[in-house]
Each structure stands twice: as structure tokens, then as C-alpha cells.
Amino acid sequence: MPPDTSASDPAARHQGWGTLRRFLPYLWPAGQPGLKLRIVLAITMVAASLGVQFALPYWLKWAIDAMNITGPRVATLALLWVLAYSAGRFGGVVFDNLRNIAFERVGQEATRQLAEAVFERLHRLSLRFHLARRTGEVTKVIDRGTKSIDVMLYFMLFNILPTVVLLAGIAVIFFRNFGWPLLAGTALAVIAYIWATRTITEWRTHLREKMNRLDGQAMARAVDSLLNYETVKYFAAEPRELERYGQATRAYADAAVRSENSLGLLNIAQALVINLLMAGALALTVKGWAEGRYTAGQLVFVQTFLTQLFRPLDMLGMVYRTIRQGLIDMAAMFALIDTEVEVQDAPGAPALVVRQPSVVFDNVVFGYEPDRTILTGLSFEVPAGAQVAIVGPSGAGKSTIGRLLFRFYDPWSGRILIDGQDIRTVSQASLRAALGIVPQDSVLFNESIGYNIAYGRDHAGPAEVEAAAKGAALMGLIERLPQGFDTEVGERGLKLSGGEKQRVAIARTLVKNPPILLLDEATSALDTRTEQDILATLHAIASGRTSISIAHRLSTVADADRIFVLNEGRLAEQGNHAELLRQGGLYAGMWARQAEGEGLKEAAE
């Protein structure tokens, strides 16, 4: 079974350089010269912005020093320096925004590619994985992980790198103009700032992880409840669901309060370090001015440089938290990508070629868990063009046959053959292209009726959709609807009745036009009248195909060419309806009980 990890799970925490190394290729996307050019342009804008930041304090210092000297020429010079300072500030804004414009496509492309990769991977993962995971939690992991990569790219290129260059440049400038004392004080303050930020942020990370876990839990409960809207209504369980959701949201709110309060503590610690540095640096400059070693302009010179240094340093805590959280979120998403695909195509697997659509189960052994075997050496053959039925008591393994046939799982041992070809040796895409299914619960997309019918085959045209609707006896309904084929069916098709959803599923299968048809208890949830109508339609579309009907109600498959009776994962009996009744075995007993039950029901009516 695939590992169940999440962003808040200790196993999903970023593994330091491992996650970072996996992220770094997005900083220089291979095979995409257009994006690389954009990155070069963005870095050029960063360099220009840094150049302006280094020049601004000099221009302001020279302007102030010039103001201490009288004379028209000096006044003109001071004015020019002031104008240069103003133009430089405007230029810095221009360079920063041009940088963002050039880089935006890079971040969006990285996010898009990663999101598509995760989406594609999720569809490749086994049914076991999707049955074990909550949809809300998975979507949260994907949402956080894909969004984090754009933020990570931005901060690493346009915050961390420029901050390092700015620190190095200011260190050199301070040393050359003021000597060791100011350089040492600045270095000590930066080290103290980084230490305080890292220490408090590590503590906040644990709070943040708990908050994310509770957020995912609340989302999962909300999605689960809304997907089961009808069940909630059936049992008048709205207060129960509200309380259950409220527990999750209250726990999340408490965790969010603690997280935000810790942020306040971090901001106070950062402000203390920054303002102590500012006070010490300005006091040192004033002392030098009083001693005649510095000019008034040098006070502004120091203050301007420190302000420019404080701006990225002030963001350092947020950047560190964002990168740390981004690594956690990306690690959780990479864990999804790395989840082992349980059912894979064999290397170089050819396409399934169906000339005679026969189906054979050859001594198949399978179970969903190692300690619980469902099928124990099941063997049967469905000849090409035959209409067979599979029946048996609950838990006999009937529905498991359909899942194995579609290769949602692979059997532990034995073989499943279609037209003499082991389905494990052919590509899954070609296998599923040869199979059609009308399930017991026909779940539809929240799209139009036409979209759901056309879903049976890619690029199906309007004429094919209309022909399929006619074949499924669906045109009467569509003609009564004001929007016809454009009518929205609602979430999971809830705007349609059970019989109407089944007809849409039948039409979808007709569009696909597969040589092998699986009817998985396709009428068990319908009333008797609707069932008879649907059965007539199913018999019509099964003609000329190999069809396998998995049924609980025996009366729906009494006319099958052959009936396989399963019991405890084995083939207990086989034959047509009359032969099985004469045998007086399991099938005959089931028939008698169902006939008695239906007789009592008719009498009651």
C-alpha cells in the first residue's frame, strides 16, 4: 500500500538539501531558451537595482555636504545630487518591476509544469491509493506545493541573492569609510538577527505544521460531508456534521492564534536587533562628527545604507519562514510524485489487439490485503460474443472481477487473458480502450449531458453523441429539457434520477463502442419499472459484443448464455438458468429465496 504522508507528517518534512536540489533545476529550466532569456533579463534588472542602491547613499551624502558650503555653483551641484537621488529611487522601482515582468512567465511555467506532473501522477496511481487518501487532503497538498515553487523561485533569485551581494558591498563600504568598529557592529547585529530569526522560526515551524494538518483535516471533513450531502439529509445529521466540522475549525483557529502570536514575538526580537544597530551606528558617526573626523553627510550616508540593509533583513524572517514552509510543502508534493505506481505497463508493452473478444480467468488468486484473500484460484472462460453473468452471495468477489479486468489491480497469481493475451503484458491504455462499463453507481462530471456522453471517446462528434443518446433511449428526456444536450447534470449527476444517470452511462459506453462490455450491477439501485426499461436497453447494446453482467438480482440475468456462480472466491457452479435450477445447488437456493422475497413484495403492493 502506498505511504500515507502529508505536509504535517514528520516523514514529509523536507530533507534539507535533498528537496532543495530537486527544486534547483527550476531556476534554469532545461530545453527552454525563452525562459532562460527571461531569467537573464531579470538578473540584469537585479544588478541594475543593486547598482542604484549602492549609489543612492553617496548622492544624498554629497548633496548634504554641498549644502554646508555657500555659493551658487555649490547650490546647483547640491540640486543635481538631489535630482539624481530622486531619479535613482524611481529607477530602483522601475528595475524591480521590470524584473518582475520578465520573471513572471518563468514562475508561472514552473508552477504549471509541476501541477501537470502531479496531476498526471495522481491519475497513474492505483485505486488502492485513492481509496486510502482523502480528496481534500490531497488537493491541499497539491495546492500548497505548486504555489510554493513560484514563491521559492522569486525569493531565492530576488531576495536571498541580492541580500548577500548587498551585505558584502556594505561591509566593504563601511570598512573603507569608517574602519573596523562599524563593520564589526554591523556584522554582529546581522549574526544576532539571523540567529534570533532562525531560532524562533524553528519553533514557529512546528506550530505551522500543526496548523496545516488541522487545516487539511477541516478541508477533508468539509469535502467529505458535501460529497455525501444526500446521506447527511437522509439521517438529519446536519448538526452532527456541523459539530464535526466545527471541532476541526476550532482546533485550527487555536493553532492559528498561537502561530500568529509567535510571529509577533519574532517581529519584536528582529526590531530590537535592528534598532540597537541603528542607534550604535548613528552614535558612532555623531561622535566622529563631533571630533571633526566625519561630515554631516556621513550621518545620512550611514543611515541610508542601514535603511537599505534593514529592508531585506526585515524580510529575512518572512523569507526564511516561506522557504522553510515551501520546502515542507514541496516535500509533501514530491512524496506524491514519488509514490510507487502499483500497476505499471511492462517495458515496451504492445497494444492489445482484439479480434475475438474472449475473456479468460486462469487460476486467479487475489486479495486487497495480504491477510484477506478474495479470489482463491478462480477460473472461467467467456467465449467471444457470449453474454454471460456472474452471480453469487455478497463478498464472493463479483465486483473484484471487474477491477481486475480493468487492471486497477494485478492478481497475486494466475492470469487474465483477452483474446489469448495476458493483460499484464499489454498497455493499460489499449486494454481499457477495449472495455466498456456501466457501473452500479454512475457518477457523472458536473458538466452538461452532452459532455458526459461524449466522454466515452475523445473527439466524439455531435452526431455520434446524438446517436448514442438514441441508442440509450435518452432522447425523450433531452428533448423535454430546455437546454437539451447543454443541460448541466450537477455535482456527481445529482440533478438526474437514477435511471437517467444510468442511461447517460449507457450512452457514454455506446460512444466508446468497445468489443467487451461489463455491466456491474447496473440496475440494482433502480425501481422495477425503470429496471426493465434499462435492461431492454442493455440487452440491445450487448448484442454483437462480449458482455459480462455482474448481478445480485438473478431475474435480471436469467436469459444469459451462461451463468457463473461464485462462492468464497471460487467458481462453485456454471450453466444456463435452467441447468442451474435442475442442479438444485447454490444458484437454485438463491433463486428460490429471491423469488419468495419478490412474491412477498408483490403481495404487499
Side-chain angles (χ1 to χ4, degrees):
M1 189 170 178
D4 187 10
T5 57
S6 66
S8 57
D9 205 319
R13 290 191 185 179
H14 72 86
Q15 299 175 357
W17 292 106
T19 301
L20 191 58
R21 280 195 300 269
R22 192 160 180 179
F23 159 78
L24 288 177
Y26 291 98
L27 292 174
W28 193 251
Q32 300 188 59
L35 296 184
K36 290 180 179 179
L37 177 60
R38 286 178 172 272
I39 294 172
V40 171
L41 289 174
I43 293 176
T44 302
M45 294 299 105
V46 170
S49 178
L50 282 171
V52 169
Q53 289 183 61
F54 284 124
L56 287 177
Y58 283 99
W59 294 340
L60 194 58
K61 171 185 177 297
W62 294 337
I64 293 175
D65 286 342
M67 291 171 65
N68 290 325
I69 305 173
T70 59
R73 289 187 178 181
V74 176
T76 302
L77 186 61
L79 180 61
L80 290 175
W81 290 129
V82 169
L83 293 176
Y85 177 81
S86 300
R89 287 179 59 86
F90 174 72
V93 173
V94 171
F95 292 141
D96 287 346
N97 283 274
L98 289 176
R99 172 202 70 192
N100 293 341
I101 292 172
F103 189 75
E104 181 62 25
R105 175 62 64 182
V106 179
Q108 291 299 326
E109 280 297 305
T111 301
R112 179 191 64 80
Q113 292 173 13
L114 191 56
E116 290 180 3
V118 177
F119 186 77
E120 188 270 342
R121 185 70 173 190
L122 285 173
H123 276 287
R124 289 181 58 202
L125 294 178
S126 68
L127 181 62
R128 190 193 309 274
F129 172 88
H130 290 281
L131 292 177
R133 294 298 295 263
R134 290 181 179 270
T135 303
E137 291 179 351
V138 172
T139 54
K140 271 288 186 181
V141 169
I142 297 171
D143 182 56
R144 290 195 190 109
T146 52
K147 286 181 179 177
S148 65
I149 191 166
D150 186 24
V151 177
M152 291 274 289
L153 286 169
Y154 181 88
F155 280 135
M156 293 193 73
L157 281 177
F158 307 141
N159 189 278
I160 294 179
L161 181 62
T163 300
V164 171
V165 175
L166 189 63
L167 279 170
I170 291 177
V172 172
I173 291 170
F174 277 6
F175 178 72
R176 293 189 62 180
N177 287 272
F178 303 98
W180 283 106
L182 186 56
L183 175 60
T186 303
L188 183 63
V190 170
I191 292 171
Y193 186 95
I194 294 174
W195 176 84
T197 299
R198 185 180 184 279
T199 302
I200 299 177
T201 303
E202 287 289 341
W203 168 53
R204 292 196 71 243
T205 298
H206 297 291
L207 299 177
R208 181 80 179 183
E209 288 178 354
K210 183 179 181 181
M211 189 178 73
N212 282 348
R213 176 176 59 80
L214 293 171
D215 185 26
Q217 184 182 78
M219 177 64 70
R221 288 184 179 181
V223 171
D224 198 27
S225 181
L226 292 174
L227 288 177
N228 290 280
Y229 170 82
E230 290 179 278
T231 304
V232 174
K233 290 294 184 183
Y234 292 151
F235 294 94
E238 293 92 339
R240 192 189 321 165
E241 288 298 310
L242 179 59
E243 174 60 25
R244 187 165 176 262
Y245 179 65
Q247 289 175 353
T249 55
R250 285 192 295 272
Y252 169 76
D254 292 340
V257 168
R258 287 192 291 270
S259 178
E260 289 304 311
N261 290 345
S262 66
L263 176 61
L265 179 61
L266 175 61
N267 290 336
I268 291 172
Q270 291 172 337
L272 176 63
V273 174
I274 288 173
N275 285 283
L276 284 175
L277 171 61
M278 178 71 79
L282 294 182
L284 184 66
T285 308
V286 169
K287 181 177 180 295
W289 170 79
E291 295 172 350
R293 291 184 289 112
Y294 302 146
T295 66
Q298 284 177 302
L299 180 70
V300 179
F301 181 73
V302 171
Q303 191 272 339
T304 307
F305 262 123
L306 289 179
T307 301
Q308 291 184 169
L309 177 61
F310 291 163
R311 191 181 305 122
L313 277 182
D314 193 41
M315 294 181 62
L316 181 62
M318 186 268 289
V319 170
Y320 180 79
R321 291 192 304 272
T322 302
I323 290 178
R324 177 71 184 271
Q325 187 60 41
L327 288 172
I328 292 171
D329 292 339
M330 284 196 297
M333 185 175 58
F334 287 145
L336 284 180
I337 295 176
D338 294 339
T339 301
E340 183 181 357
V341 179
E342 185 177 347
V343 179
Q344 302 188 51
D345 286 343
L352 176 68
V353 179
V354 181
R355 299 182 180 86
Q356 296 294 321
S358 61
V359 178
V360 175
F361 273 60
D362 180 16
N363 197 29
V364 171
V365 178
F366 174 74
Y368 296 105
E369 302 295 340
D371 57 350
R372 186 187 172 204
T373 304
I374 304 297
L375 302 181
T376 55
L378 178 63
S379 296
F380 64 82
E381 180 177 358
V382 181
Q387 298 186 26
V388 305
I390 299 175
V391 301
S394 296
K398 303 186 297 295
S399 294
T400 300
I401 289 174
R403 290 175 172 178
L404 290 175
L405 191 60
F406 271 87
R407 211 177 163 213
F408 291 156
Y409 304 92
D410 281 332
W412 296 348
S413 63
R415 301 183 302 164
I416 302 174
L417 309 176
I418 292 181
D419 197 3
Q421 301 160 73
D422 191 332
I423 63 173
R424 283 179 296 192
T425 65
V426 299
S427 66
Q428 295 177 65
S430 65
L431 166 67
R432 290 165 189 155
L435 299 170
I437 185 170
V438 180
Q440 176 181 359
D441 182 18
S442 299
V443 179
L444 305 180
F445 291 96
N446 190 8
E447 294 281 353
S448 66
I449 291 178
Y451 175 89
N452 278 281
I453 294 175
Y455 198 82
R457 183 168 52 81
D458 198 16
H459 304 304
E464 295 170 283
V465 171
E466 184 174 347
K470 289 179 180 177
L474 196 59
M475 285 304 298
L477 167 68
I478 294 173
E479 290 170 352
R480 292 194 302 271
L481 296 172
Q483 294 179 295
F485 282 101
D486 294 327
T487 302
E488 298 287 327
V489 303
E491 186 85 23
R492 300 169 66 239
L494 292 178
K495 291 184 180 180
L496 302 181
S497 69
E500 290 165 349
K501 286 200 295 183
Q502 289 298 76
R503 292 194 184 280
V504 172
I506 292 169
R508 185 162 58 188
T509 302
L510 284 174
V511 169
K512 187 176 185 181
N513 194 26
I516 301 172
L517 182 62
L518 178 66
L519 308 174
D520 188 1
E521 303 200 48
T523 62
S524 63
L526 306 177
D527 60 85
T528 304
R529 180 175 179 179
T530 305
E531 178 187 59
Q532 294 305 314
D533 293 340
I534 295 292
L535 281 174
T537 305
L538 290 174
H539 289 155
I541 69 169
S543 178
R545 310 175 195 269
T546 301
S547 71
I548 302 173
S549 299
I550 298 172
H552 177 72
R553 198 175 302 170
L554 302 184
S555 59
T556 62
V557 295
D559 58 348
D561 298 334
R562 198 158 195 80
I563 300 173
F564 298 116
V565 185
L566 268 61
N567 188 29
E568 297 182 353
R570 292 182 179 273
L571 183 60
E573 301 170 2
Q574 62 175 309
N576 59 35
H577 175 68
E579 292 171 349
L580 290 172
L581 288 181
R582 286 196 297 270
Q583 291 178 19
L586 177 61
Y587 180 86
M590 293 170 60
W591 177 267
R593 286 192 295 274
Q594 289 192 14
E596 180 181 355
E598 291 176 1
L600 291 173
K601 182 179 178 181
E602 291 177 3
E605 292 174 350

